[in-house]
Amino acid sequence: MELAATQSARLLTSQQITLDNWLCAALRGEQATWSLLPDDITAQQVVERSQHHGIEALLFHAVRSLNAWQTWPDTVRNQLELSSKAGIAHDLLRRERLDRLLQSLSRHGVRCVLTKGEALAATHYPIPGTRTRGDSDLFISLQQIEQAREAITAAGFIVELPVYKRHQFTVREQMGSSGAVVFDVHWRILNAARFARALTFDQVYASASKASQLHGARLISAPHALLVACMHRCGSQRHDPNRLIWIHDLHVLLSSMSRQQLDAFCAVSTECGVSDIVLDGLAVCMQRFGTAVPHWLLQALAEAERVAPARSRFQTSQLKLLMDDFAQLPAGKSRRGLVRDLFTPPQDSLLRRYGKTHAVWLPFLYCRQIVGGIVSRMMLR
């Protein structure tokens, strides 16, 4: 007999698949009437699933002009409308904060590229606020990390520690500021060891587009944006790779790219050795949104995957990435910062991490931190 918990989990998965298919139909502009949903799916589930996928505002603007919209319960329509208004309002607040940050980076001579959702909101979403994002991603050179920190502090923001451990650092506003705007400043294109060195900053910056309103910063090019979007889906076990907002990013990028841009995308995907990841992203995109992907592109990526040389576990490991970080970071403060973040973090953050409150634990915790850090990287994960 099937256990009740197992049966419940199976039922939930089935409901999620049905609901996700219905949501995709709505985003495609089809007449997704409420009657097409099974009776056991509630209005609350629709709202919660939309929140999980990050598509509330996008869904509102996609469906509100269709006849199907009138069949949806008032509770759902009201919640989606509120989310849309909140997203647009927060986007205006984010834009003001971003403008201040970019001005300071420019004054300090720090080159910067906007990536991920922040760039796509500006280039591929008619209403930027419909591209839900919890933070704004900026990409800088690892040679300019310390300059960037000075610029960020000068603009009135706080740099959260650690700076070097995760190939990005978080920037927040001073306590007491209105609104919650967060920036993630990356000095590797992505955090996962396999993808972190796929694109260098100079590569991305050279092909990025200029925009007068960005104070010297640039917007990531479409080929690189599509590659990053494909890799980001699979960049962490904590991510749900099937979040619809991420797949929708693939859809809008692919639907707007020229043959020349698709050629460039194919070439860089092959060079980076991630054809398998890219093919998976394109397959999901075609399934969810019926995206038109040229057959020649799929064939070229499949052939590249077939003949791709096997890479050793060492080449894609955290250990090799750490060695490259140490070699490429400027000598002095940056290298010392890397070692400190990895093995000797601040006392208060170490106590919080392990749930301790008394300083008597610190010698044991530092030993654990150092040994654990060495072991985790020597395992070639």
Side-chain angles (χ1 to χ4, degrees):
M1 179 180 294
E2 186 176 35
L3 294 176
T6 305
Q7 185 178 18
S8 176
R10 181 174 57 79
L11 179 61
L12 179 61
T13 301
S14 176
Q15 287 180 333
Q16 288 177 346
I17 292 172
T18 300
L19 181 48
D20 286 356
N21 289 338
W22 183 80
L23 290 171
C24 286
L27 290 175
R28 292 194 300 264
E30 299 173 11
Q31 291 292 347
T33 60
W34 194 263
S35 62
L36 294 177
L37 283 175
D39 292 338
D40 59 348
I41 292 181
T42 67
Q44 184 62 27
Q45 285 176 304
V46 172
V47 171
E48 290 176 354
R49 197 64 179 162
S50 300
Q51 291 172 340
H52 167 77
H53 285 301
I55 60 168
E56 292 170 283
L58 189 63
L59 189 62
F60 172 73
H61 286 275
V63 185
R64 64 173 179 166
S65 61
L66 302 178
N67 293 333
W69 179 247
Q70 302 304 321
T71 71
W72 292 22
D74 289 343
T75 53
V76 176
R77 291 190 294 173
N78 292 340
Q79 180 60 52
L80 295 181
E81 183 175 8
L82 285 173
S83 296
S84 174
K85 291 178 178 178
I88 292 171
H90 194 262
D91 190 70
L92 294 174
L93 182 66
R94 180 191 290 111
R95 176 57 55 184
E96 186 275 327
R97 304 296 197 271
L98 178 61
D99 185 70
R100 173 155 51 96
L101 179 59
L102 293 180
Q103 285 190 58
S104 188
L105 290 171
S106 179
R107 284 195 298 268
H108 284 75
V110 178
R111 297 183 301 163
C112 173
V113 180
L114 301 186
T115 66
K116 296 183 183 176
E118 189 61 41
L120 294 180
T123 57
H124 287 76
Y125 286 81
I127 304 174
T130 62
R131 176 45 174 94
T132 304
R133 51 208 189 275
D135 51 57
S136 298
D137 292 281
L138 291 73
F139 188 27
I140 65 171
S141 167
L142 52 75
Q143 301 294 328
Q144 293 194 299
I145 295 174
E146 292 304 321
Q147 284 176 258
R149 292 179 67 179
E150 293 176 7
I152 290 164
T153 302
F157 295 93
I158 296 173
V159 175
E160 290 191 353
L161 300 178
V163 170
Y164 294 94
K165 183 177 181 179
R166 296 183 292 116
H167 303 101
Q168 71 176 59
F169 53 91
T170 299
V171 175
R172 298 184 184 274
E173 295 183 272
Q174 299 280 358
M175 293 296 292
S177 299
S178 60
V181 178
V182 179
F183 301 100
D184 277 348
V185 180
H186 295 256
W187 50 273
R188 291 285 193 184
I189 190 64
L190 290 171
N191 296 334
R194 180 180 177 185
F195 307 133
R197 291 159 291 173
L199 295 171
T200 67
F201 174 79
D202 287 339
Q203 278 180 289
V204 174
Y205 189 82
S207 65
S209 61
K210 300 178 182 179
S212 58
Q213 70 273 23
L214 294 180
H215 305 284
R218 299 188 179 188
L219 293 166
I220 190 171
S221 67
H224 285 161
L226 183 54
L227 178 61
V228 170
C230 288
M231 295 188 298
H232 179 252
R233 284 185 62 241
C234 306
S236 172
Q237 293 181 345
R238 297 189 298 272
H239 288 170
D240 174 3
N242 294 313
R243 283 192 80 214
L244 292 181
I245 193 64
W246 294 342
I247 301 171
H248 192 266
D249 287 344
L250 304 184
H251 171 67
V252 296
L253 279 162
L254 284 163
S255 300
S256 63
M257 289 171 69
S258 66
R259 172 62 190 253
Q260 184 179 12
Q261 289 175 319
L262 289 173
D263 280 331
F265 166 67
C266 185
V268 72
S269 300
T270 301
E271 291 167 6
C272 294
V274 293
S275 298
D276 56 333
I277 298 298
V278 168
L279 282 169
D280 181 73
L282 300 189
V284 174
C285 190
M286 289 187 290
Q287 178 189 22
R288 290 298 194 184
F289 294 108
T291 313
V293 180
H295 185 63
W296 67 263
L297 176 59
L298 297 173
Q299 280 189 318
L301 290 168
E303 178 62 17
E305 172 61 16
R306 187 183 67 81
V307 301
R311 293 192 294 171
S312 68
R313 289 182 64 192
F314 173 69
Q315 289 296 324
T316 58
S317 68
Q318 290 283 359
L319 176 60
K320 180 63 167 66
L321 178 57
L322 173 59
M323 293 169 62
D324 287 349
D325 288 344
F326 193 81
Q328 294 180 40
L329 284 168
K333 191 172 184 179
S334 293
R335 290 183 180 177
R336 290 195 300 271
L338 174 63
V339 173
R340 181 185 62 248
D341 285 355
L342 288 173
F343 302 116
T344 57
Q347 296 182 5
D348 55 346
S349 66
L350 194 64
L351 290 170
R352 285 197 306 270
R353 177 179 178 182
Y354 292 104
K356 305 298 182 182
T357 56
H358 202 286
V360 71
W361 286 96
L362 285 171
F364 170 76
L365 295 180
Y366 273 116
C367 288
R368 179 176 177 178
Q369 178 78 9
I370 294 170
V371 173
I374 294 173
V375 170
S376 67
R377 283 157 180 82
M378 292 298 290
M379 290 176 65
L380 303 185
R381 295 186 299 177

